[in-house]
Amino acid sequence: MTAIAKTQLLVAPVITEGQQLPELKIPVTATLIATGAVATRDFQKVHHDKSVAQAAGTPDIFMNILTTNCLVNRYVSEFSGPLGRIKKINIRLGAPNYPGDEMTFTGTVQAVQGERIVLAINGTNSLGPHVTGTVELTFESQEETR
Amino acid sequence: MSVDPSLEINELISASHERVSIARDPVNRPMIHHLCDAMGDANPIYLDPEVARNAGHSDVVAPPAALQVWNMTNPSDPEISSDVDRAYGILEASGYPKVVAVNSEQEYERHLVPGDVLTAYEKVESLKGPKQTGLGEGYFITTLTEYKDQNDQLVGTMRFRTLWYTPAVGQEQDND
């Protein structure tokens, strides 16, 4: 992504009901799973040590839920841009993300109610839906964080 | 064979004891950068204070979905048992030994900025079951975690639902 000129005015995208979000393909690598787990401070070995994961009955290490949530966050904020403010992420978890797979994010603008925008998102891998859910965001730029 | 776990777990729910954990470190830029590097997230409000300020924030902010990160258990921490662990233990002992994560619902009151020190309050919120599911008979249990800042203000909540089940006959296959 190119750096945004610092003096540039940030502009919120025009968002309409029914609009499709651009697709995002995430290569699910052992690196993404292991670094994602540790960056989210989840040291459970099933997310970074293949022999432990296999002893636990899964074919390989698998993505932790915090990484899934953070990837949903990334997908939505790439669509909303820097002015988007995520208020809620509700997800249902499905097929695991194992190394060597690919997860494709798709999404639709489900509702636009004034400042409140609801997106329906879906991340599917070769086994089926890994994550489905809704994300709510706003663009109330005047609100201060503290 | 399974027994009814709801009496014991409903007692825990009405007792409403919370596990309280104070983050070891405040929300900080290096960890936000590290997280964005791992996720491939290049949103400048997480990385560049000037863009963050142009977007109406006081500093860079943490990705909202990282709410849980700051209070994760440190590998060297002693294990402290909580009512959530007790409830999971009751389900296991009642004949529902298999578990899958079902839902995560996070709500954010405001963006987190470097310097915020979070305290997490976690408890068992509800139990539903027994239900017949595709995996077998089981119970859905929901935990509620509230995150408060250094001024005791609520900054976010998380509900986490798991299904504890007895594998249906002929469905021993693991699909965690």
Side-chain angles (χ1 to χ4, degrees):
Chain A
M1 199 189 229
T2 50
I4 291 178
K6 294 188 179 172
T7 50
Q8 188 184 320
L9 257 181
L10 300 172
V11 181
V14 176
I15 294 177
T16 52
E17 240 169 60
Q19 188 180 346
Q20 304 288 310
L21 276 66
E23 197 178 87
L24 174 67
K25 287 185 187 296
I26 307 271
V28 180
T29 61
T31 304
L32 173 63
I33 294 167
T35 58
V38 176
T40 54
R41 298 195 37 73
D42 182 345
F43 293 92
Q44 288 195 62
K45 292 184 180 180
V46 289
H47 304 308
H48 65 257
D49 187 330
K50 186 173 178 173
S51 59
V52 172
Q54 288 179 334
T58 62
D60 205 330
I61 60 168
F62 56 93
M63 187 176 285
N64 69 334
I65 299 167
L66 286 87
T67 299
T68 299
N69 257 322
C70 287
L71 291 174
V72 169
N73 189 137
R74 172 185 156 192
Y75 179 53
V76 168
S77 75
E78 282 183 11
F79 170 69
S80 74
L83 290 180
R85 294 189 173 202
I86 295 175
K87 307 299 271 184
K88 282 186 194 174
I89 299 182
N90 290 350
I91 57 170
R92 169 170 283 269
L93 299 150
N97 263 341
Y98 294 121
D101 210 334
E102 183 179 66
M103 175 168 66
T104 303
F105 274 120
T106 54
T108 311
V109 179
Q110 203 172 58
V112 179
Q113 295 155 334
E115 303 265 299
R116 182 172 160 273
I117 290 155
V118 184
L119 310 175
I121 61 98
N122 181 313
T124 294
N125 64 28
S126 66
L127 302 172
H130 168 73
V131 55
T132 50
T134 56
V135 178
E136 281 187 35
L137 69 145
T138 65
F139 285 92
E140 40 188 343
S141 59
Q142 68 280 18
E143 175 207 326
E144 287 294 326
T145 46
R146 4 173 91 187
Chain B
M1 275 323 317
S2 52
V3 294
D4 184 0
S6 51
L7 204 67
E8 266 186 283
I9 291 178
N10 285 333
E11 274 174 28
L12 294 180
I13 292 170
S14 13
S16 195
H17 287 145
E18 292 168 323
R19 186 175 78 103
V20 180
S21 84
I22 302 167
R24 183 176 60 182
D25 295 303
V27 174
N28 62 83
R29 274 194 213 176
M31 276 188 59
I32 294 172
H33 281 186
H34 191 51
L35 187 86
C36 289
D37 286 341
M39 303 302 162
D41 196 327
N43 189 333
I45 62 168
Y46 307 143
L47 305 164
D48 185 329
E50 233 171 293
V51 178
R53 279 192 280 271
N54 280 348
H57 302 287
S58 61
D59 194 347
V60 292
V61 293
L67 178 66
Q68 273 177 286
V69 168
W70 316 101
N71 295 80
M72 291 293 279
T73 313
N74 304 306
S76 57
D77 284 352
E79 277 194 30
I80 300 164
S81 78
S82 67
D83 278 6
V84 170
D85 298 324
R86 269 180 215 111
Y88 290 161
I90 293 165
L91 287 165
E92 212 175 336
S94 303
Y96 303 96
K98 303 281 284 175
V99 59
V100 285
V102 181
N103 295 98
S104 152
E105 300 176 3
Q106 294 187 339
E107 203 164 330
Y108 317 107
E109 299 298 322
R110 68 164 174 89
H111 280 72
L112 301 179
V113 291
D116 280 330
V117 180
L118 301 195
T119 302
Y121 302 81
E122 184 193 32
K123 64 178 184 184
V124 183
E125 187 180 47
S126 64
L127 178 76
K128 288 200 173 73
K131 302 232 181 204
Q132 299 303 325
T133 75
L135 295 168
E137 186 187 281
Y139 281 82
F140 291 93
I141 184 166
T142 305
T143 64
L144 169 65
T145 309
E146 293 187 321
Y147 294 88
K148 291 184 178 171
D149 67 10
Q150 56 281 10
N151 302 315
D152 207 30
Q153 296 297 306
L154 186 72
V155 294
T157 56
M158 167 154 177
R159 284 186 171 80
F160 185 59
R161 190 168 301 118
T162 46
L163 166 67
W164 295 74
Y165 65 99
T166 313
V169 179
Q171 197 157 356
E172 295 294 316
Q173 215 170 349
D174 219 295
N175 193 17
D176 203 14

